[in-house]
Amino acid sequence: MASGGYYAAEAGGGFSDGDGATNDKGDKSGLRTALAGLTTRGRSFLAAGIAAAICAYVLGQSDLLRVGLLLAALPLVCAGVLYRTRYRVAGSRRLSPARVPASSEARVHLRMDNISRLPTGLLMLQDRVPYVLGPRPRFVLDRVEAGGRREVSYRVRSDLRGRYPLGPLQLRLSDPFGMCELTRSFSTYDTLTVIPRVEALPPVRLSGEAKGYGDGRQRSLALAGEDDVIPRGYRYGDDLRRVHWRSTARYGELMVRREEQPQRARCTVLLDTRGAAFQGAGPDSAFEWAVSGTASALVHMLERGFSVRLLTDTGNVVPGEGTDGFAGASQESADAAGLMMDTLAVVDHSDGFTLSAAYDVLRSGNEGLLIAFFGDLDEEQAAVAARMRQRSGGAVAFLLDSESWIQGPGSPPSQRCAERLRMLREAGWTTVAVPAGAAMVDVWRQADRERTGLSGAPSTTGGWS
């Protein structure tokens, strides 16, 4: 995916960006900038020249004075020549891809074009990237001919999800003797979105799919029943068996019944983000596992043809309220999936302590299948979660116990976690305790075995139902 834009800079005393508007603050300011760009070598030469000139004056040595003047003049001449140089270069940045899962690499492509009539000297490129993405990339371009182009690339990688700015790109111009360096920065930057890791989940069959024909589909007429159906005018090619004679007699023209409209089964994925419900931090923490599991469930359910939405404990709904808050079909689903992944990329702990806001959203109507990722639940919040089951066609809960996650892999669920699982099961939930380091695929299959009561039997394949 391409990202970034076209921007230009004048690699001398002036600077321009985008439309080429110069940002030169005057000769005096530019000269001070050039003198401030003297390198350690340039400053050493200047200091040595001044010291030699002073010694020559004190000792009366004219030859030493010539040497001092030569040493002092060389860095000043280099700074003046570099200041007067007007190399106009344009750059662009492209991310491939611009949205990448955690622990995966993205490649950043940089392109520099010399749009001036003169070849450039030695150019040094440096792109600013956050520390979490790796070291700051630096490149040296020896010489770019007039109208020429150079392309370089580097890789970035992060184990932590988030949105990271890339840029602005810095351009450094140096004289052949290394006496002076001038730095110019482009103002344009791009953003790399690191989304949670997504695991491919196997198809399993759990309760909660909308009743009807096919794979999670249900059919409905325009209104409540056959007598209340809203007819429409006959169109060429309509089946005559769908002619609605009562409406035909009323309107005096041939009317037909509307076709039954298929409805996509619905699924709500609930993510508990309460800070009090999770302990620990980092890519291997319980909260990061819950975020990754949420992303995996969202993608899987969209692939199975469900209308899906993301809900958090704060009551926030993605892709948004709209008509019903659920992602629609085809292209709308793809856009909604990207929006949900972008939301999960930056989701953080909330300051809340209850699940009441999420429950208020769920109790507004029958929401179909409910998949929830819970942290620690006290008795009150477990009761709230239990009531969520009443407004759903089916409910599956993955419960992450902070105590067992702190103890490490292989630790059994705590007594409190076992009690919360029992409460949810009694309310009709299919519940699974998630141990530390568990694979999402394994607990996904375990949820299917819990539903069928065959804890040791292989899972049944098929569609979610």
Side-chain angles (χ1 to χ4, degrees), residues 330-343:
S330 61
Q331 183 60 38
E332 186 179 348
S333 290
D335 296 339
L339 181 58
M340 288 186 283
M341 290 299 107
D342 289 344
T343 301

Side-chain angles (χ1 to χ4, degrees), residues 361-374:
V361 175
L362 291 171
R363 71 178 181 178
S364 60
N366 191 331
E367 305 298 342
L369 179 64
L370 174 61
I371 303 175
F373 293 83
F374 292 122

Side-chain angles (χ1 to χ4, degrees), residues 153-171:
S153 64
Y154 63 93
R155 295 181 179 180
V156 290
R157 178 181 179 274
S158 174
D159 293 329
L160 300 175
R161 56 188 175 78
R163 292 173 61 87
Y164 302 102
L166 300 178
L169 183 66
Q170 291 182 333
L171 179 66

